Amino acid sequence: MKTVVNSVVELPPVVVNGTSVSSVRGLPLVAVSGAAASKVPYTVNICGGLPFPLGNFSEARFGRRTVVLCCLLKIASMGTAAAFSPNFAAFCVFRFMTGMGICGLVINDLCLTMEWIPKKYLVIVPVFQGTCLTLGQIILPGVAYVITDWRWLQLALSLPYFIFSILAWWVPESYRWLALKNRPQEALQNLNRVARINGKKDETFVTLEMLTRENEKSSTSSNPTPFDLFRTPGMRKVTICLSLSWFSSSFCFFALAMDVQRFGFSLYLVQLIFGCTEIPLRILSTVTVTYIGRRFSVSFYLILAGILILCNLAFPTDLILLQLSVTCLAKGFLGSSLVCAYPYTAELFPTVLR
């Protein structure tokens, strides 16, 4: 029977077969089976990203830079509030809100970055940002190993976002979004500002007339809605195929990431191995997406990950090292598929729907 523990408890180290909850001390929790309870905060954090695709259309009204700033402040404030949660339910609510902020940050940050980066670097940017996510996964086990109290760990991971939000004020708003919103003068100012930063002070490549023509050619709807993704047969086909690709990659990726306890090793060590394994695969994805193609890369890594997951089911349970190796590779290929899907998706959809 499930019992609720209202007081703060000291948690033992993680043991296999669900006999413990977490290696981080002091988390108020619902005393269910250890494996299930330890996955609840992570699951809540992931589910926080589910409502964001609908709210993501707010960037069409307020701009990408504004949404990025709001997401950074949301992660910082909700993460800090989670550190002072009086009970497990409040902790889950704050982590849910944090997950919404993280999802919005990843999507809009990448979109804003790709609109300011020259075309020859468009492929490298999402791969580089995906590598930064992997580096964060590598650093996290070390931070969690040093800061064992969960409240201090939560603060250590949340407070830097206040600094990031200050730094984000320096980032200019997307000139394409400004042009689509009939604000060509501000778009031209941002372009000239970036040109000065790049050392091109005396050269002018863009005029108000050029921005106006680009706006007339690319603007299909001043207020895009989710239904625009299914308005034409071609757009419906692209949307459905890419949605299935994103769903399968994300579903399997997080399923593997949440099932690390079954190996019986330290959580810190397994997370570190997962992160280190993805680094060479990120480099490989850069090569394939640049020289072979986007569609091939996404499909290739998805197929490889599916084969490895099916093979893993056939391995005996006592071959833990083999299962861990295959799981690391499958998770790495899924991550590479997600990274390759970013530029592929951005290039297939128009700016107003991106």
Side-chain angles (χ1 to χ4, degrees):
M1 180 179 294
K2 300 180 181 180
T3 58
V4 178
V5 179
N6 294 320
S7 59
V8 175
V9 296
E10 295 293 323
L11 301 178
V14 175
V15 186
V16 191
N17 298 326
T19 57
S20 64
V21 177
S22 172
S23 58
V24 181
R25 296 195 298 267
L27 178 62
L29 53 91
V30 178
V32 296
S33 65
S38 62
K39 297 175 184 177
V40 170
Y42 189 56
T43 305
V44 169
N45 191 68
I46 295 174
C47 291
L50 294 178
F52 197 86
L54 295 177
N56 193 39
F57 285 87
S58 61
E59 60 88 16
R61 176 183 293 271
F62 302 107
R64 314 195 197 288
R65 175 176 174 269
T66 302
V67 175
V68 168
L69 289 171
C70 292
C71 289
L72 286 170
L73 291 174
K74 188 174 187 178
I75 296 171
S77 57
M78 293 296 100
T80 303
F84 299 97
S85 302
N87 51 59
F88 189 63
F91 177 81
C92 289
V93 170
F94 289 129
R95 289 300 300 174
F96 182 86
M97 302 298 291
T98 304
M100 291 183 63
I102 293 175
C103 181
L105 174 64
V106 171
I107 294 175
N108 289 280
D109 176 72
L110 180 62
C111 188
L112 179 60
T113 303
M114 294 183 67
E115 291 184 357
W116 276 116
I117 293 298
K119 289 185 178 180
K120 61 180 179 179
Y121 299 120
L122 283 181
V123 177
I124 300 177
V125 169
V127 176
F128 175 77
Q129 291 192 342
T131 304
C132 292
L133 293 174
T134 303
L135 292 176
Q137 182 180 0
I138 295 175
I139 296 173
L140 178 60
V143 177
Y145 186 82
V146 174
I147 307 176
T148 56
D149 185 83
W150 74 272
R151 294 186 186 273
W152 287 107
L153 177 61
Q154 184 68 43
L155 284 174
L157 300 177
S158 302
L159 292 179
Y161 281 94
F162 285 109
I163 301 176
F164 300 154
S165 62
I166 297 175
L167 297 176
W169 281 99
W170 176 83
V171 179
E173 179 58 271
S174 168
Y175 76 92
R176 292 183 179 179
W177 180 84
L178 291 171
L180 290 172
K181 289 299 179 180
N182 296 319
R183 295 158 63 179
Q185 187 64 45
E186 296 180 46
L188 188 60
Q189 291 176 358
N190 285 348
L191 284 171
N192 291 332
R193 174 189 170 191
V194 174
R196 288 193 300 269
I197 294 174
N198 293 333
K200 300 178 180 180
K201 300 180 181 179
D202 300 325
E203 302 180 34
T204 303
F205 299 98
V206 181
T207 62
L208 287 175
E209 290 76 13
M210 294 172 62
L211 287 175
T212 303
R213 288 198 300 269
E214 180 182 353
N215 183 22
E216 292 175 352
K217 289 190 298 182
S218 60
S219 178
T220 57
S221 175
S222 57
N223 295 307
T225 66
F227 300 104
D228 292 331
L229 298 173
F230 304 92
R231 196 170 299 277
T232 62
M235 188 64 68
R236 280 197 298 270
K237 180 180 177 181
V238 171
T239 301
I240 293 174
C241 292
L242 287 179
S243 297
L244 291 175
S245 172
W246 279 94
F247 172 79
S248 57
S249 300
S250 302
F251 183 86
C252 296
F253 181 88
F254 290 113
L256 295 178
M258 294 174 62
D259 198 25
V260 297
Q261 287 183 342
R262 67 187 180 91
F263 299 113
F265 299 105
S266 169
L267 290 182
Y268 307 109
L269 179 61
V270 174
Q271 291 294 341
L272 181 63
I273 294 174
F274 274 5
C276 293
T277 306
E278 292 185 18
I279 294 294
L281 295 179
R282 291 286 190 269
I283 299 175
L284 177 62
S285 64
T286 305
V287 176
T288 58
V289 80
T290 302
Y291 297 103
I292 300 181
R294 278 70 153 155
R295 183 174 63 177
F296 172 84
S297 299
V298 174
S299 304
F300 178 68
Y301 293 128
L302 274 175
I303 292 173
L304 283 180
I307 293 174
L308 290 175
I309 292 174
L310 291 177
C311 291
N312 205 12
L313 296 176
F315 294 149
T317 56
D318 56 337
L319 299 178
I320 299 298
L321 289 178
L322 180 60
Q323 288 189 350
L324 176 60
S325 302
V326 173
T327 301
C328 289
L329 288 176
K331 183 174 177 291
F333 284 130
L334 289 169
S336 297
S337 174
L338 290 171
V339 168
C340 295
Y342 276 114
Y344 188 41
T345 304
E347 291 171 354
L348 290 178
F349 289 102
T351 303
V352 292
L353 296 177
R354 192 175 298 160

